[in-house]
Amino acid sequence: MSYFVYRTHYEGPLSKRVRRLPDATVLDWFRRAWAAVADDGRWDATAWIQTELGGDVYGLHTLFERAREHGLPAPNSWQELRDLLREHLYFEGDLRVDEHSVRVHTDDDEVELPYFFFDDTLVAARPDAVAYLLHDDWPLPDAPGAPSPDGEGMTHAVLLTFYDSDSICWQPPFVFPGVRLPDLAAHLRATTPGPKEWPGELLVLRALVAPEDDDLGPALGRCNHWPSYEASTPEITGGHHAAHEFAMRALRNGEPDNGRDPSRTLLRSGAHLAQMSIHMHGFFGHQQWFLFDDVWVGQNEDLAGSLLRYATDWDPFDLGSR
C-alpha cells in the first residue's frame, strides 16, 4: 500500500488530507496515472486527481498535462520519476524524491502546501515520522490513568499556528520543564514571562486561566473566543491578576476576527493531553493546539515524535534525498 498526505489549511480540523492508495509503491501510482493519460484522449488531469486523492492538489495536474501534451513515456524507476518531476511538475518550493517517497513543498500565493507520497516500507522504517502524518481523525488519543514516571516531568506545547503566508514551522514546539499537564494551570498563574519569551497564544492562554481553574479546559474555551491573535496586547504580559482582568474585559468587549466561528472549534482537555482545533479564519479554517506531557509521550511515543517533527519542518521525513 502507498499513501498520500496533503498538508492544507483549507481542509478539516487537522488541516490535512490523508488518502490510502492501492498501489504497492509511489512509482506504481504515477505509472497508473500515466496509463490513464494514454487510455483516454479526453482525460481530465484535475478531475482524475480529485477522484484519486480526494480533492485538488495544487500544481500536480501540470505533470500529467505535460505528459499528454509532449507524449512523455511513463517512468520505469524512481530515478526516472524524479527527473520527470523536476522538469515537468509545477511547484514553488522544494522537491525531494527517493525510492520510497515523493515530497513536495509549494504554495498557492496564499499559504504553503506541502504534500507527500510514500509507501509501506517507509511507514515501517519511520513510525516517528508518519504516526501523526497519517492520523486523519479528531481527536488524538489521551493517556488516561497512565502512571507518572519518576522526576518532575515536562509539558510540550505544539501550536500549529500561522499568520500571513508563513504557514509552516512558524512556531517551534515550546517546552515547560519541570511541570506536567495537571499542574500547568497553576504554573501559568504563578509565572510572569517577558513579552518575547512565550508565543502569543501561550500568553493569551496564561491570561485566560482563571484563579479557580484546576485544568486548562476552561481557559482553552475562553481562548476560542479571544478577539484577535494578530493584535498586540502587551497588557497580558504582566502579573497574572492584572493580565487576567484585562483579558476578561477584552473577551466581554470584543468579537473574534477574520470570520472565525467559535462554534466550529473542537476542544478536548484530558489528564495528560489538552488539544484544540480552533477555527481561526473564515477562509483558511482551523489551526491546532496540542499541550501534552511526558506521561502522554510515554504512552504515545511514535505519535508524539511525529507531531514534534511535523511542527518543526515542512518535511517530517527529512531523509536528505534529492
Side-chain angles (χ1 to χ4, degrees):
M1 180 177 287
S2 54
Y3 307 86
F4 171 79
V5 179
Y6 193 24
R7 186 170 179 173
T8 167
H9 294 282
Y10 303 107
E11 188 159 346
L14 293 180
S15 301
K16 55 190 170 80
R17 185 195 317 154
V18 179
R19 299 285 283 189
R20 288 154 177 83
L21 307 172
D23 313 275
T25 68
V26 174
L27 177 62
D28 288 342
W29 185 85
F30 280 92
R31 285 180 58 82
R32 185 157 59 85
W34 245 268
V37 173
D39 287 345
D40 187 353
R42 297 172 298 173
W43 184 74
D44 184 327
T46 299
W48 193 85
I49 289 169
Q50 289 176 343
T51 299
E52 279 284 312
L53 303 181
D56 190 31
V57 180
Y58 191 81
L60 182 58
H61 67 285
T62 59
L63 174 68
F64 305 120
E65 289 178 350
R66 292 171 186 175
R68 180 174 59 180
E69 179 181 353
H70 299 292
L72 302 175
N76 291 309
S77 67
W78 73 263
Q79 293 92 339
E80 290 183 6
L81 174 61
R82 175 196 60 201
D83 294 343
L84 284 164
L85 289 166
R86 284 177 173 174
E87 185 172 356
H88 298 287
L89 177 68
Y90 177 80
F91 63 96
E92 296 186 359
D94 198 359
L95 170 69
R96 303 176 180 182
V97 183
D98 59 38
E99 183 178 2
H100 300 291
S101 70
V102 169
R103 294 113 67 197
V104 181
H105 181 206
T106 188
D107 69 69
D108 65 351
D109 298 327
E110 295 286 348
V111 292
E112 297 167 83
L113 299 166
Y115 58 90
F116 313 92
F117 292 90
F118 52 96
D119 62 20
D120 271 329
T121 299
L122 196 52
V123 170
R126 298 298 305 279
D128 64 315
V130 304
Y132 180 73
L133 201 62
L134 288 177
H135 191 93
D136 58 354
D137 61 339
W138 172 272
L140 272 61
D142 198 3
S148 297
D150 295 334
E152 295 180 335
M154 68 171 57
T155 294
H156 302 267
V158 173
L159 306 172
L160 301 177
T161 59
F162 73 95
Y163 302 98
D164 299 323
S165 61
D166 187 13
S167 61
I168 306 297
C169 312
W170 180 85
Q171 177 60 58
F174 189 88
V175 176
F176 293 96
V179 58
R180 293 194 171 106
L181 194 65
D183 301 316
L184 187 56
H187 177 78
L188 293 176
R189 283 192 294 266
T191 305
T192 304
K196 296 184 179 180
E197 293 179 19
W198 290 8
E201 291 83 3
L202 289 182
L203 292 173
V204 172
L205 175 62
R206 168 188 170 269
L208 289 175
V209 172
E212 67 275 11
D213 288 346
D214 294 326
D215 61 65
L216 294 182
L220 288 171
R222 298 176 193 115
C223 288
N224 184 34
H225 294 270
W226 185 248
S228 177
Y229 284 92
E230 299 183 47
S232 176
T233 51
E235 295 88 349
I236 62 174
T237 61
H240 182 264
H241 178 76
H244 181 65
E245 288 194 342
F246 172 85
M248 295 305 293
R249 287 196 302 272
L251 278 187
R252 290 191 294 270
N253 297 329
E255 295 290 336
D257 60 359
N258 291 327
R260 289 164 51 204
D261 183 353
S263 70
R264 295 174 62 182
T265 290
L266 301 174
L267 191 161
R268 180 171 293 188
S269 181
H272 299 285
L273 168 67
Q275 52 191 314
M276 178 165 64
S277 174
I278 181 171
H279 188 264
M280 283 291 290
H281 200 286
F283 184 57
F284 295 124
H286 295 75
Q287 297 181 22
Q288 297 77 38
W289 298 17
F290 300 102
L291 295 102
F292 55 90
D293 61 23
D294 59 313
V295 178
W296 187 80
V297 172
Q299 297 294 308
N300 300 273
E301 290 185 7
D302 289 337
L303 188 56
S306 178
L307 179 55
L308 290 168
R309 294 177 68 87
Y310 191 90
T312 303
D313 198 323
W314 75 266
D315 180 4
F317 298 109
D318 193 22
L319 302 180
S321 298
R322 302 291 189 275

